Amino acid sequence: MDMFCYQCQEAAKNEGCTVRGVCGKTPEVANLQDLLIWALKGISFWGVRGRANLGIVDPETDLFVAKALFLTITNVNFDPAVHVAWIEEAIQRREALRERAQAQCRALHGADACGDGLPEAATWLPKTYDANVLEMKGQLVGVLADPDLDEDIRSLRELLIYGLKGLAAYTEHAYVLEYTNDALLHFMQEALDATLDDSLSAADLVGLVLKAGEMGVEAMRLLDEANTGRYGHPEPTQVNLGVRPGPAILISGHDLRDMDELLQQTEGTGVNVYTHGEMLPANAYPAFKKYPHFVGNYGGSWWHQAKEFESFGGAILMTTNCIVPVKESYRERLFTTGLAGWPGCPHIPDREPGQQKDFTPLIEMAQRSAEPQALEDGAIPAGFAHATVMSVADKVINAVQQGDIRRFVVMAGCDGRQRSREYYTQIAEGLPQDHVILTAGCAKYRYNKLDLGDIGGIPRILDAGQCNDSYSLAYIALQLKDAFGLDDINDLPISYDIAWYEQKAVIVLLALLYLGVKHIRLGPSLPAFLSPGVVKVLVDNFDIKPIGEVEADLAAIAVGA
């Protein structure tokens, strides 16, 4: 096989992509990503031991590991040259840590100490940083590198790594806004290092997986604090879906600091700004609503972008993941920034300390490009994060006690291309009138334009925001548990019907498991990286189940099963 990748929901045949990624990832990039992850394990080997035993700390390298994990998330970066550069820096940072650790170790324990029995990931050096050489090494250290490895151990290691990738994304977003918790960075290294340890049992790895969930809750809490601390708590907002005359920029992804700086730099230029995909929730933040040239949202979820970016006509900014193969018709209009990248697309460099990113090339492209073509009109509601919902908690609790609201259904997570995801639209349409949907993430695009009405003024679709805003949904559930005087979160009238696609959804799932949530439906398919043995553990301990037929699932949801 040319590659092997099964980290996302669209893994070919629900087994793994072996020729080319369904996402558009080439074998070259897939193998380079495998090598980068392996190099991060080597950094982590020295980072963990340096901190624990030798008093060696390297905050820049700690953050580098998180960023590099984020780089390998599905649909973030497809540029081989970028991956080569990151691998080279990873090896250099690992060697710097190794030299410091071994020097300190020799000083403490003698000349012959600290050099034996080291894993190859902690010592390997390439003869050259030629992409072909690195790719060949990547083929040797990927997921299937050890054919004799117990399938449950492999599955748990990969589940842990994919959870770490999601954890890294949310942590990086918080760090960009200068909200930090180094315990998150240290855990990432501890977990990566653990995947090199053949002495760890399946039970040990299950414990680390749940610890990743705990760290996921903290990362989402930290990011929520960062976003609301900088930009205010989201407010209930009717988001415009139409277009306005004039040149325009479409911004997609998850990075609110990019959104903030773009709005500042486009003020007074005559350029309008629209959100796309996961940036939709930005429309509900008070700090952004003050800009008259912030028009609303254009289009739907990430997988529609090829058609929608063509229709848009203006300049486009991808701030994080969710890039699909870029068409030549809009390639020169599509800019990437941060960790996002596509070969041949212009890239906005990172901000220098104390300065903003310079979006001048993007703005100039918008000014000489066509106006957006209308796709639809009307408006959709957004802004129902935890502060909004809890501000009317008495009303919500009363509606439950009076029987007006009989059940909440958490339908958070990701959208995707497969027709099987029509299931989520059909579930939303089929839910009884006394059921309220709690959502976050791009999964909402399957039903957020449906007219489902309200219950006593409470909308039947409460959109908390981006996938990281799943914290809001967990927070609301915990607050309701306390308000109703319940001991177990599973005694609440809440069902979970989660859609997943990539690794940020994995950390959300692990966070829910850490919080003790049971009876989660997960679809449209169970992850290919879960072995039968690991699935059994999840079923036995958490009653995780695949989605089924719509009518059967609707009946089960109605009774909390």
Side-chain angles (χ1 to χ4, degrees), residues 43-227:
I43 290 176
S44 300
F45 177 88
W46 294 111
V48 167
R49 285 153 187 78
R51 274 192 305 275
N53 304 319
L54 305 171
I56 295 172
V57 294
D58 189 342
E60 287 188 2
T61 296
D62 294 343
L63 186 57
F64 172 87
V65 170
K67 287 175 174 285
L69 282 167
F70 190 2
L71 185 78
T72 67
I73 283 180
T74 303
N75 290 9
V76 171
N77 196 297
F78 295 81
D79 193 332
V82 170
H83 288 84
V84 168
W86 277 78
I87 290 167
E88 183 171 2
E89 184 173 351
I91 297 296
Q92 291 170 349
R93 288 184 176 276
R94 187 206 67 195
E95 285 300 283
L97 272 178
R98 180 186 64 78
E99 290 170 5
R100 290 175 64 190
Q102 290 187 323
Q104 182 72 352
C105 188
R106 286 192 294 269
L108 293 173
H109 305 294
D112 295 331
C114 311
D116 296 328
L118 301 177
E120 187 187 9
T123 61
W124 177 80
L125 289 169
K127 294 181 179 180
T128 173
Y129 285 100
D130 178 81
N132 292 327
V133 172
L134 297 177
E135 184 190 355
M136 289 175 64
K137 184 62 177 179
Q139 289 180 307
L140 299 176
V141 299
V143 174
L144 303 180
D146 181 359
D148 298 322
L149 185 65
D150 179 85
E151 67 172 353
D152 292 338
I153 296 295
R154 177 183 288 112
S155 177
L156 287 165
R157 286 178 178 178
E158 294 307 311
L159 173 59
L160 180 59
I161 288 171
Y162 302 151
L164 294 179
K165 292 185 181 190
L167 175 63
Y170 296 148
T171 302
E172 157 67 1
H173 288 324
Y175 270 67
V176 164
L177 292 171
E178 300 173 358
Y179 283 69
T180 64
N181 180 348
D182 290 347
L184 297 170
L185 304 182
H186 296 167
F187 173 75
M188 291 178 210
Q189 292 186 28
E190 291 164 12
L192 284 168
D193 178 52
T195 66
L196 294 173
D197 187 349
D198 291 333
S199 71
L200 295 183
S201 66
D204 295 327
L205 291 170
V206 168
L208 280 168
V209 166
L210 290 178
K211 181 69 173 179
E214 179 184 2
M215 293 293 102
V217 173
E218 168 57 19
M220 287 186 279
R221 184 209 63 77
L222 182 68
L223 180 52
D224 177 80
E225 181 184 356
N227 287 338

Side-chain angles (χ1 to χ4, degrees), residues 1-5 16-19 27 31 139 144:
M1 58 183 71
D2 298 323
M3 58 177 280
F4 183 80
C5 180
C17 296
T18 59
V19 178
N31 293 321
Q139 289 180 307
L144 303 180

Side-chain angles (χ1 to χ4, degrees), residues 397-417:
I397 292 168
N398 183 64
V400 174
Q401 292 174 333
Q402 295 296 321
D404 297 327
I405 295 177
R406 190 157 56 90
R407 181 156 293 275
F408 297 94
V409 184
V410 175
M411 294 176 64
C414 310
D415 194 14
R417 286 173 280 238

Side-chain angles (χ1 to χ4, degrees), residues 25 30 53 84 115 123 125 228 235 279 287 388 391 455 510 518:
K25 181 166 58 178
N53 304 319
V84 168
T123 61
L125 289 169
T228 58
E235 303 167 342
M279 196 59 78
T388 294
S391 71
I455 300 173
L510 299 185
K518 297 183 178 181

Side-chain angles (χ1 to χ4, degrees), residues 241 278 280 299-301 303-304 376 379-382 384 408-416 420-431 435-453 459-467 470 473 495-500 521 523-524 547 550 554 557:
L241 299 177
E278 281 278 57
L280 164 65
S301 64
W303 63 279
H304 294 289
E376 55 192 331
I380 52 175
F384 292 92
F408 297 94
V409 184
V410 175
M411 294 176 64
C414 310
D415 194 14
S420 56
R421 290 179 182 267
E422 294 173 2
Y423 161 93
Y424 295 100
T425 306
Q426 294 166 3
I427 288 286
E429 291 174 325
L431 288 172
H435 285 41
V436 172
I437 296 171
L438 302 175
T439 192
C442 61
K444 61 175 166 275
Y445 280 106
R446 287 287 171 173
Y447 43 79
N448 67 343
K449 296 174 185 178
L450 300 175
D451 183 10
L452 299 185
R460 288 191 57 228
I461 301 177
L462 297 176
D463 179 6
Q466 296 180 348
C467 50
S470 295
L473 306 183
S495 297
Y496 295 82
D497 202 352
I498 306 296
W500 84 284
R521 282 180 176 77
I547 63 172
V550 171
L554 283 170
I557 287 169

